[in-house]
């Protein structure tokens, strides 16, 4: 697939983990047109500049910049002369590299002298030197520069330098972190902008240098107005590369190939926001089904749990060992095939969710957008007369299927499943729908999947939460649709002993750790489930004593919460009630929730209580025989 963006794509080697060879291979595999070679990556490379240049060319790329060159302009003698000598040596290296542009960032040395004209004179002279080597120099304002920390001052220096070899470099982070106005960018001629660097970041209250060095991320993963920045640059007529320059502790520990793919996906999504060229983000209308991959024995045990939760077996797949369990608008599939994708997933990860099917407004558009975002699709053989349900790869190698209300894909249950005759009329549904799906993953992957979901679906990010687990902090990143039809919660932790980290490490990868079902009446639902033999996570008495003190709830209501092990939260007049099953097979668990008055959160205040209670359960709860035999 060719790059749909009007500008060439580029990324700085400093953005990725690994050595220079690994970085370049990952960047090329992701489809970038060019690369910024960071000087430290070059200095630590066991080979000469010509070898690096050949490697870049053999991978089908060019070098967009060689950087950074520091503390140049406005220096007193003899430091000034030394700066020019350093530049001459770097220009010679660039000729061997095949690099045509060098980045110089604004001076941070305490010895630097101020004055725009002084700096402009230095750059005019440097331009003459650059001309001798056939290279160009781009000047970038660092947000913490000693005298120049605003792109407007950098541009004024370049303008006064008045040299064809000297241009300005614009960086979204340095511009947006200082809240510099974007309007003046339009006054810069596009041909005087030599490079545009892009980085997003979460909004944090800290010094800008630390913020920049540790928390930059790809556009779409943070909170800065990078789209507005790119729109402002587009008004100049700039046609050069859009290049990522990322400094991030998570990225330094992540997979170079995954991060390079994220970087390309980010540029594609960003280009689509500024000049739409992909189908629109998919509108999710609901969760069609959630599929579990298990062996026969574990499936029998989970069937008993489903039955106690109020589900009934309503269908069998026409050709595969897959059973449908239903209640309200919820469909759960138990796949016990001994061959194929589900079985492979179960071998690799143990019993658990192998696939989620989402009902969208237009399947073809959703798949086309996924393809445009470099999200791999999935194919597997289907039997005669069975539906081919389009799918993409999701978290931890699981699948995301797509269905839609219209056409054949709206009749999956009629075409692919034979109904199971009911022995009696089904009871009233205790549960109505899937409220949210919680996925645990390596901490280093969280930003990747945040970008994946937000660029593919119409989901908005809720501010990140830090949850106290007895084993450490867990970072939680919710994404929600405006109508509430889809809610994902992404969890990751740098601490190895948290429930989230143990889920990932003990089961060989990321995946669904818990599913929350919405109940119209949580008290009635829990009472019926307990009557069916189900028990729930034990909540300490101290929690209810504190709850009464904090909210002034009626004693009878507190007693009902306590009796049914239900947790409670309130936001204004809106209320949230939640209860948890025990962890199943040491792998996953279920939550039942009731939202009252438009409550929009997830009961984060209760998460430490829940996590502590789960930590106390040293071994999996044995399911009562009555449930195993259902």
């Amino acid at each position: 697939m060719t790059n749909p963006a009007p500008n060439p794509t580029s990324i700085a080697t400093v953005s990725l983990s690994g050595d220079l060879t690994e970085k370049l291979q990952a960047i090329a595999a992701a489809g970038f047109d060019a690369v910024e070679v960071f000087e430290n990556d070059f200095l630590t490379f066991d080979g000469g500049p010509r070898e690096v240049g050949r490697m870049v060319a053999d991978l089908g790329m060019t070098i967009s910049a060689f950087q950074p060159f520091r503390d140049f302009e406005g220096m007193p003698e003899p430091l000034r002369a030394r700066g020019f000598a350093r530049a001459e040596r770097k220009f010679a290296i660039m000729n061997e590299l095949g690099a045509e542009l060098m980045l110089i960032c604004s001076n941070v040395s305490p010895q630097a002298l101020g004055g725009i004209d002084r700096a402009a004179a230095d750059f005019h002279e440097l331009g003459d030197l650059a001309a001798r080597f056939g290279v160009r120099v781009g000047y970038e304002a660092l947000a913490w520069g000693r005298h120049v920390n605003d792109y407007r001052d950098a541009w004024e220096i370049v303008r006064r330098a008045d040299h064809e070899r000297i241009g300005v470099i614009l960086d979204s982070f340095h511009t947006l972190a200082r809240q510099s106005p974007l309007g003046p960018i339009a006054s810069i001629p596009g041909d005087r902008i030599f490079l545009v660097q892009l980085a997003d970041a979460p909004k944090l209250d800290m010094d800008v240098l630390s913020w920049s060095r540790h928390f930059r991320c790809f556009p779409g993963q943070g909170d800065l107005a990078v789209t507005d920045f790119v729109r402002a640059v587009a008004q100049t007529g700039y046609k050069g590369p859009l290049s990522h320059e990322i400094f991030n502790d998570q990225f330094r520990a992540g997979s170079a190939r995954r991060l390079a793919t994220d970087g390309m996906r980010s540029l594609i999504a960003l280009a689509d926001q500024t000049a739409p060229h992909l189908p629109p983000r998919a509108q999710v209308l609901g969760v069609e089904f959630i599929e579990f991959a298990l062996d026969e024995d574990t499936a029998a045990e989970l069937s008993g749990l489903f039955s106690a939760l109020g589900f009934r077996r309503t269908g069998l797949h026409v050709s595969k060992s897959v059973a449908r369990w239903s209640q309200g608008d919820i469909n759960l599939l138990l796949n016990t095939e001994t061959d194929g994708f589900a079985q492979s997933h179960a071998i690799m990860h143990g019993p658990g969710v192998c696939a989620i099917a989402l009902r969208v407004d237009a399947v073809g558009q959703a798949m086309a957008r996924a393809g445009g975002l470099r999200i791999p699709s999935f194919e597997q053989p289907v039997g005669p007369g069975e539906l081919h349900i389009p799918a993409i790869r999701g978290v931890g190698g699981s699948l995301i299927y797509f269905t839609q209300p219209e056409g054949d894909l709206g009749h999956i249950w009629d075409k692919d499943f034979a109904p199971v005759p009911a022995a009696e009329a089904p009871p009233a549904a205790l549960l109505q729908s899937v409220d949210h799906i919680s996925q645990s993953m390596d901490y280093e992957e969280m930003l990747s999947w945040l970008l994946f979901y937000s660029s593919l679906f119409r989901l908005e990010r809720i501010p990140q939460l830090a949850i106290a687990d007895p084993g450490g902090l867990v970072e939680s990143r919710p994404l929600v649709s405006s109508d509430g039809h889809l809610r994902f919660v992404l969890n990751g932790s740098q601490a190895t002993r948290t429930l989230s980290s143990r889920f990932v490490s003990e089961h060989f990868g990321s995946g669904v750790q818990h599913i929350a079902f919405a109940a119209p009446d949580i008290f009635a639902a829990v009472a019926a489930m307990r009557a069916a033999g189900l028990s729930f996570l034990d909540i300490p008495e101290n929690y209810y004593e504190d709850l009464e003190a904090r909210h002034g709830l009626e004693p009878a209501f507190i007693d009902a919460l306590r009796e049914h092990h239900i947790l409670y939260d309130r936001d204004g007049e809106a209320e949230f009630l939640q209860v948890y099953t025990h962890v199943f097979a040491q792998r996953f668990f279920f939550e039942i929730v009731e939202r009252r008055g438009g409550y929009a959160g997830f009961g984060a205040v209760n998460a430490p209580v829940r996590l502590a209670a789960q930590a106390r359960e040293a071994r999996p709860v044995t399911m009562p025989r009555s449930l195993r035999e259902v």
Side-chain angles (χ1 to χ4, degrees), residues 208-226:
V208 70
L209 177 57
S210 298
W211 190 18
S212 173
R213 285 289 176 258
H214 301 284
F215 295 99
R216 291 198 194 195
C217 53
F218 292 125
Q221 296 178 328
D223 303 313
L224 301 182
V226 182

Side-chain angles (χ1 to χ4, degrees), residues 307-535:
S307 180
L309 287 167
F311 290 91
R312 293 295 177 265
R313 194 174 67 156
T314 56
L316 296 173
H317 196 276
V318 294
S319 67
K320 298 181 177 66
S321 181
V322 180
R324 175 194 181 193
W325 289 75
S326 307
Q327 178 176 189
D329 293 328
I330 310 168
N331 292 288
L332 306 178
L333 303 184
L334 292 186
N335 188 322
T336 54
E337 284 283 287
T338 57
D339 191 19
F341 169 78
Q343 194 249 1
S344 298
H345 192 276
I347 291 174
M348 176 63 71
H349 300 283
V353 174
C354 65
I356 299 166
L358 300 178
R359 194 179 309 116
V360 298
D361 52 350
V363 168
Q365 289 188 2
M367 289 298 293
R369 184 173 181 87
L373 292 168
R374 313 289 176 91
I375 297 172
S377 60
F378 172 82
E379 299 279 347
Q380 67 179 345
V382 298
E386 296 175 22
L387 289 175
H388 173 264
I389 308 175
I392 59 174
R393 292 284 186 175
V395 171
S398 64
L399 301 180
I400 298 178
Y401 289 103
F402 293 121
T403 68
Q404 63 186 27
E406 297 79 22
D408 287 344
L409 291 173
H411 298 280
I412 176 177
W413 307 117
D414 300 328
K415 290 182 176 291
D416 281 10
F417 286 80
V420 174
E424 55 187 29
L430 303 174
L431 307 173
Q432 290 179 322
S433 60
V434 175
D435 184 87
H436 62 271
I437 299 170
S438 178
Q439 297 176 313
S440 287
M441 57 197 60
D442 283 324
Y443 181 76
E444 291 77 17
E445 294 183 11
M446 289 186 68
L447 289 175
S448 296
W449 292 110
L450 185 74
L451 177 64
F452 173 94
Y453 283 123
S454 60
S455 62
L456 182 56
F457 302 113
R458 295 181 200 173
L459 295 173
E460 303 304 324
R461 289 174 293 156
I462 290 177
Q464 178 173 314
L465 303 170
I467 307 298
D469 180 290
L473 283 180
V474 176
E475 301 293 341
S476 187
R477 306 292 298 258
L479 299 104
V480 302
S481 61
S482 58
D483 55 15
H485 285 150
L486 182 64
R487 298 181 182 92
F488 280 113
V489 180
L490 313 183
N491 296 314
S493 176
Q494 292 179 294
T496 60
R497 294 176 54 246
T498 63
L499 184 67
S500 176
S501 291
R502 287 187 285 112
F503 171 89
V504 174
S505 64
E506 294 172 8
H507 298 281
F508 305 103
S510 310
V512 173
Q513 188 170 23
H514 94 258
I515 301 165
F517 301 122
D521 184 339
I522 194 170
F523 291 103
V526 171
M529 294 168 187
R530 292 177 69 186
L534 189 62
S535 64

Side-chain angles (χ1 to χ4, degrees), residues 90-338:
K90 298 302 180 185
F91 290 160
I93 291 174
M94 289 170 62
N95 283 169
E96 293 189 70
L97 277 171
E100 188 263 343
L101 175 67
M102 182 168 73
L103 180 151
I104 294 183
C105 45
S106 59
N107 207 320
V108 300
S109 171
Q111 296 170 293
L113 305 174
I116 286 179
D117 287 330
R118 178 184 286 107
D122 287 346
F123 274 109
H124 185 89
E125 185 175 341
L126 186 64
D128 289 339
L129 180 61
R132 287 170 42 199
F133 289 86
V135 300
R136 299 182 302 158
V137 173
Y139 182 48
E140 174 188 49
L142 293 179
W144 53 90
R146 180 169 176 80
H147 298 292
V148 176
N149 51 36
D150 188 301
Y151 76 88
R152 291 169 292 182
D153 291 332
W155 162 238
E156 182 59 22
I157 289 170
V158 168
R159 190 187 69 80
R160 294 190 192 186
D162 191 24
H163 200 293
E164 64 177 358
R165 296 283 173 170
I166 305 296
V168 70
I169 291 179
L170 300 178
D171 183 294
S172 64
F173 179 84
H174 293 301
T175 301
L176 299 170
R178 289 183 53 83
Q179 300 182 10
S180 300
L182 300 179
I185 290 177
S187 65
I188 304 175
D191 61 354
R192 303 306 308 281
I193 302 173
F194 284 1
L195 185 65
V196 172
Q197 295 179 318
L198 300 176
D200 204 340
K203 289 184 178 177
L204 298 172
D205 185 14
M206 64 191 314
D207 70 277
V208 70
L209 177 57
S210 298
W211 190 18
S212 173
R213 285 289 176 258
H214 301 284
F215 295 99
R216 291 198 194 195
C217 53
F218 292 125
Q221 296 178 328
D223 303 313
L224 301 182
V226 182
T227 302
D228 293 341
F229 173 85
V230 172
R231 288 193 179 112
V233 170
Q235 294 179 40
T236 70
Y238 171 75
K239 297 301 182 184
L242 296 178
S243 186
H244 291 304
E245 186 190 45
I246 311 296
F247 303 93
N248 187 294
D249 295 342
Q250 285 180 249
F251 286 21
R252 292 185 183 99
S255 158
R257 291 207 170 227
R258 173 175 56 80
L259 290 167
T261 299
D262 287 347
M264 178 55 69
R265 182 171 297 148
S266 170
L267 286 179
I268 294 171
L270 183 63
D272 185 59
Q273 292 179 56
T274 55
H277 60 275
L278 296 176
R281 291 188 298 165
Q283 177 67 49
V284 177
L285 308 177
V287 178
E288 188 74 68
F289 64 79
I290 299 174
E291 183 175 1
F292 296 79
L294 318 104
D295 59 31
E296 292 284 354
D297 291 340
T298 312
E301 193 171 358
L302 187 56
S303 296
L305 176 56
F306 284 174
S307 180
L309 287 167
F311 290 91
R312 293 295 177 265
R313 194 174 67 156
T314 56
L316 296 173
H317 196 276
V318 294
S319 67
K320 298 181 177 66
S321 181
V322 180
R324 175 194 181 193
W325 289 75
S326 307
Q327 178 176 189
D329 293 328
I330 310 168
N331 292 288
L332 306 178
L333 303 184
L334 292 186
N335 188 322
T336 54
E337 284 283 287
T338 57

